[in-house]
Amino acid sequence: NDKKAAQVYLELERRLRAANAMDFDDLLVRTLELLRTRPEVLDKYQERFRYISVDEYQDTNRVQARLVRLLAGEAGNVMAVGDDAQSIYAFRGADVRNILDFPKLFPGTRVIRLEENYSSTQPVLDVANAVLAPASEGFRKNLFTTKENTPKTPRVRLVRPMSDLTQANVVAARVEELLDRYQAKEIAVLFRAGYQSYHLEVALSKRGIKFRKYGGLRYAE
């Protein structure tokens, strides 16, 4: 429960201090405390780091954003690279408001949209654009590619299975169908996490289809 967790946290803090050590969160929080309470230290680092660049800004948490603002000072010389549409780490503390509110926090911000995509085909980008279009807020963009788009360019198919098992069987059947025209090494199935492939592994094995898994253990292992 919360009370027990609080006790564990306090004990962790005690042991860290006794060992003169910090965990990752401490590195951020203690640094923020130092800059806020020691003006001479803040002045030193504002002078040293007069231009700041932050990558993957949509993945920053509130403490990291505050550090950036402190270090930037009145000059506000910050270049943030990121994509609000790719903010998927809220469970890890990331706050998408950091990038959404950036122009408000840093007056005079110039927004440069990088809309040309070099890896996807236009049908994939059309789906991404359609998904982003109804968003109530965010940086509007229209993703495009200069790759040739012909009638033979594969289109995106949306399948809505009833369960994980049904999904696995649908994908396994599709793989079996594709093996008539393509080599196995040209077929890939992507997952957000390794364990999500277990049902598909079983379905492929039942069909006698050999496969390789990259990242994580196989179900049989």
Side-chain angles (χ1 to χ4, degrees):
N1 57 31
D2 291 344
K3 186 176 181 180
K4 180 65 75 174
Q7 292 173 343
V8 171
Y9 178 76
L10 290 174
E11 179 61 18
L12 172 64
E13 286 283 283
R14 188 189 69 77
R15 295 194 184 192
L16 284 171
R17 287 181 180 277
N20 197 29
M22 291 187 286
D23 62 16
F24 182 72
D25 291 336
D26 289 335
L27 291 173
L28 295 174
V29 174
R30 303 304 179 206
T31 300
L32 184 62
E33 287 179 357
L34 176 66
L35 297 180
R36 279 178 166 173
T37 58
R38 298 287 295 275
E40 72 279 10
V41 176
L42 177 60
D43 289 344
K44 174 184 176 181
Y45 286 103
Q46 282 181 340
E47 179 64 26
R48 180 176 177 183
F49 302 118
R50 289 191 280 180
Y51 298 91
I52 301 170
S53 177
V54 186
D55 196 14
E56 303 291 2
Y57 204 81
Q58 77 281 351
D59 293 337
T60 56
N61 58 40
R62 291 184 181 182
V63 177
Q64 291 168 323
R66 287 167 184 160
L67 281 171
V68 171
R69 290 184 66 189
L70 271 178
L71 289 171
E74 292 297 323
N77 292 322
V78 180
M79 182 178 75
V81 182
D83 183 358
D84 55 299
Q86 294 188 49
S87 180
I88 60 174
Y89 290 110
F91 69 94
R92 218 166 57 185
D95 189 347
V96 70
R97 294 246 57 98
N98 289 345
I99 191 168
L100 291 177
D101 294 340
F102 191 91
K104 299 176 185 176
L105 298 174
F106 295 92
T109 292
R110 179 186 174 195
V111 178
I112 302 173
R113 289 171 171 80
L114 305 178
E115 298 175 302
E116 183 173 358
N117 186 287
Y118 299 93
S119 57
S120 293
T121 58
Q122 195 58 50
V124 173
L125 299 177
D126 288 342
V127 171
N129 288 329
V131 170
L132 295 173
S136 59
E137 61 179 327
F139 297 97
R140 297 295 175 185
K141 44 195 168 286
N142 182 52
L143 306 175
F144 70 92
T145 181
T146 55
K147 287 184 177 181
E148 186 179 8
N149 185 25
T150 70
K152 291 186 177 180
T153 304
R155 267 42 185 174
V156 176
R157 295 173 58 188
L158 174 63
V159 180
R160 294 179 174 174
M162 298 297 292
S163 68
D164 290 350
L165 290 173
T166 305
Q167 174 179 266
N169 286 319
V170 168
V171 175
R174 178 63 174 157
V175 170
E176 196 167 37
E177 176 187 328
L178 291 172
L179 284 171
D180 290 336
R181 306 194 304 276
Y182 301 96
Q183 297 182 62
K185 66 180 181 180
E186 296 180 278
I187 303 170
V189 182
L190 305 181
F191 293 90
R192 184 69 185 88
Y195 71 88
Q196 293 174 333
S197 69
Y198 292 160
H199 289 308
L200 179 58
E201 293 179 46
V202 173
L204 290 173
S205 296
K206 286 181 178 178
R207 285 173 164 78
I209 300 174
K210 295 182 178 180
F211 61 88
R212 284 185 179 179
K213 180 174 180 178
Y214 298 92
L217 296 174
R218 286 192 181 196
Y219 180 69
E221 295 172 327

